[in-house]
């Protein structure tokens, strides 16, 4: 029997109240930005949709998924710092939903933004959602309505390995794996976008508005001189009666969505991987108390157990090696009934905490227990004494075991993520199934103050060797722009804008996001784990 965590938090304390006020302000700002990205569109664009008998992209998704079921959206604030803010949510909606009782990935173009044209970060977001489908062996539903690539940025769209071609490669891999794909074509699928329905197992196209063509009418005219309208070139009747590129023609988007649900309802349900589960139970402590636990200053330490207590079932936690390597907390718990192995930071990673983490992850792989990482890490310990003890070697053990783990891995960036600590704790580069961030999160090689001080010190020594001396004001003038740049690029909004995570979430939603993610991950098998060479 696991023990319930005994919280030490005083919810009436001045510190708790101060933290709660600061975090509620953060959440208010996050919600404001998210609502703006999700729903704020020029009136003319919404009128254009209505004039053509089209639904807004989020209404399409709402009608597609089963009533009363959740939709876990990915990267709702993607591209929020780029392109002058015009590509809201990177012009594409992606996430996990339930359609006809089946877990699916939904990918939807947003035609209110440049006709659904793909920006560079749109492509990155689409590629990422198809990676999620591959990793978790999930079927995909494409809601297609795109003018194709955003041509002014064409050099960033097409040539490299993880750009547009990767979308169609990933679709092909999904088909090879037996993961079904359905395309509902509401608008144009132009240029490379034409391959999305062409590579899908099923395709439904709406008469009058849907179109599939490698080159639209303007390109056809420019390339061949042929003058042809969109419907004649690649409309619903062409592709369902002549070319066979699509399977069903319908007269409205509502009909397309109903037919899509019917098609998904015919899909065979796969067997899920079995892991240890029990009856779900709400945490004993109120999850909203997380607002009073996370400090208002990134440098202020807090006990990760207090976070665990407000995420896991019943607040029960079996802590592993509680008296060893105490700057890392590890142990077993359940989230929505699924057993997990949790690793959370209570300070810098020393030799002992690194070894503890490596051993605990080995146990989780042995027991087929998914891993959840709660990141609040400044890095591995530095200094002559620690180098002599082999901190690089012990840190490498942690990284090796984590990298080679076959159980599903999930990461939540709950505060800081700096230096190589990001690596050991399953940062983005280490193929976690999902990576979520809280609005207070910061990520970088080091903190802003450390980076600015380091760079200024290097500059001052360079000038001193040249016989120049700087006043305190001149040193400050050098330091200020470095600090400003770092503070911008360390923020959760900058990180999520570039898809370094799968989205910012409200801390109180962490348990639900992990529960949906855990369930989705079990559509894929868990293979036997083998490791590389561990330097002993």
């Amino acid at each position: 029997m696991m023990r319930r965590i005994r919280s030490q938090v005083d919810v009436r304390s001045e510190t708790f109240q101060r933290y709660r006020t600061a975090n509620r302000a953060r959440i208010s700002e996050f919600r404001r930005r998210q609502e703006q990205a999700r729903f704020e569109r020029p009136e003319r664009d919404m009128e254009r949709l209505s004039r053509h008998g089209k639904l807004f992209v989020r209404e399409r998704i709402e009608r597609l998924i089963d009533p009363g079921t959740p939709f876990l959206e990915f990267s709702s604030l993607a591209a929020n710092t780029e392109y002058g803010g015009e590509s809201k949510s990177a012009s594409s909606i992606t996430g996990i939903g339930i359609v006809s009782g089946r877990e699916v990935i939904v990918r939807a173009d947003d035609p209110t933004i440049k006709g659904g044209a793909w920006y560079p970060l749109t492509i990155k977001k689409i590629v990422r959602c198809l990676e999620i489908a591959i990793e978790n062996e999930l079927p995909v539903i494409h809601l297609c309505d795109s003018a194709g690539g955003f041509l002014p940025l064409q050099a960033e769209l097409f040539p490299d390995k993880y750009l547009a071609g990767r979308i169609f490669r990933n679709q092909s891999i999904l088909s090879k794996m037996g993961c079904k794909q359905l395309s509902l074509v509401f608008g144009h699928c132009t240029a490379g976008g034409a391959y999305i329905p062409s590579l899908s197992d099923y395709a439904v196209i709406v008469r009058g508005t849907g179109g599939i063509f490698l080159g639209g009418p303007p390109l056809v005219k420019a390339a061949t001189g042929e003058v042809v309208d969109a419907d004649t070139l690649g409309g619903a009747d062409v592709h369902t009666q002549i070319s066979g590129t699509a399977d069903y023609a319908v007269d409205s988007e509502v009909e397309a969505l109903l037919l899509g649900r019917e098609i998904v309802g015919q899909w065979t349900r796969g067997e899920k991987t079995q892991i240890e589960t029990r009856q779900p139970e709400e945490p004993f402590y109120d999850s909203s108390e997380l607002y009073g636990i996370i400090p208002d200053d990134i440098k202020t330490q807090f006990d990760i157990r207090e976070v665990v207590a407000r995420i896991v079932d019943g607040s029960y936690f079996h802590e592993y090696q509680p008296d060893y390597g105490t700057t890392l907390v590890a142990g077993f718990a359940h989230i929505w009934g699924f057993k997990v192995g949790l690793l959370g930071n209570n300070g810098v990673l020393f030799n002992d905490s690194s070894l503890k983490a490596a051993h605990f992850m080995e146990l989780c792989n042995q027991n087929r227990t998914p891993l959840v990482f709660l990141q609040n890490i400044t890095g591995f310990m530095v200094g002559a004494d620690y180098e002599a003890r082999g901190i690089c070697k012990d840190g490498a053990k942690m990284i090796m075991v984590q990298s080679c783990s076959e159980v599903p891995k999930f990461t939540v960036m709950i505060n800081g993520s700096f230096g190589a600590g990001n690596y050991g704790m399953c940062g983005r580069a280490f193929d976690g199934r999902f990576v979520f961030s809280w609005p207070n999160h910061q990520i970088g090689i080091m903190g802003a103050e450390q980076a600015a001080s380091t760079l200024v010190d290097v500059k001052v020594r360079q000038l001193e060797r040249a016989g120049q001396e700087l006043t305190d004001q001149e040193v400050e003038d050098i330091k200020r722009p470095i600090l400003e740049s770092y503070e911008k690029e360390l923020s959760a909004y900058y990180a999520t804008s570039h898809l370094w995570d799968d989205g910012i979430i409200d801390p109180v939603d962490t348990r639900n996001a992990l529960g949906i993610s855990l369930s989705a991950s079990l559509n894929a098998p868990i293979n036997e784990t083998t490791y590389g060479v561990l330097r002993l």
Side-chain angles (χ1 to χ4, degrees), residues 1-6 276-278 281 308 312-320 330-335 337-342 360 364 367 369:
M1 179 66 179
M2 295 183 183
R3 298 179 183 178
R4 176 170 287 149
I5 294 173
R6 297 184 63 182
E276 185 177 325
T277 60
R278 72 175 195 184
E281 181 181 353
V308 173
V312 303
D313 291 6
S315 304
Y316 292 114
F317 184 56
H318 173 81
E319 187 169 348
Y320 173 72
F332 297 104
H334 291 79
I335 296 176
F338 299 109
K339 185 178 181 180
V340 298
L342 281 157
F360 179 71
C364 289
N367 296 330
T369 303

Side-chain angles (χ1 to χ4, degrees), residues 140 171 174-175 178-183 196-203 247-248 263 267:
V140 181
Q171 280 193 271
L174 281 165
S175 185
C179 296
K180 298 173 182 63
Q181 294 177 77
L182 162 67
S183 283
I196 286 185
S198 301
L199 286 166
S200 294
D201 303 87
Y202 304 84
D247 305 305
Y248 309 89
I263 291 168
W267 292 353

Side-chain angles (χ1 to χ4, degrees), residues 365-411:
N365 278 283
Q366 181 189 61
N367 296 330
R368 294 162 58 88
T369 303
L371 289 162
V372 174
F373 297 84
L374 302 177
Q375 273 209 29
N376 177 29
I377 183 63
T378 55
F380 290 91
M381 191 61 190
V382 298
D385 185 37
Y386 297 100
E387 296 295 352
R389 294 186 201 175
I391 187 62
C392 288
K393 186 170 66 172
D394 292 339
K397 292 187 183 78
M398 179 179 178
I399 291 171
M400 175 73 79
V401 174
Q402 187 266 107
S403 300
C404 297
S405 293
E406 289 287 350
V407 295
K409 299 181 293 187
F410 309 87
T411 303

Side-chain angles (χ1 to χ4, degrees), residues 47 98 103 118 188 192 250 269 303-304 311 314 346 379 456 482 503-504 521 528:
E47 288 176 356
I98 308 295
E103 288 172 320
W118 293 348
H188 289 175
V250 294
R269 300 174 192 264
D303 189 352
I304 193 67
I311 292 175
N346 258 4
V456 167
I482 298 172
I504 297 176
S521 75
E528 290 297 319

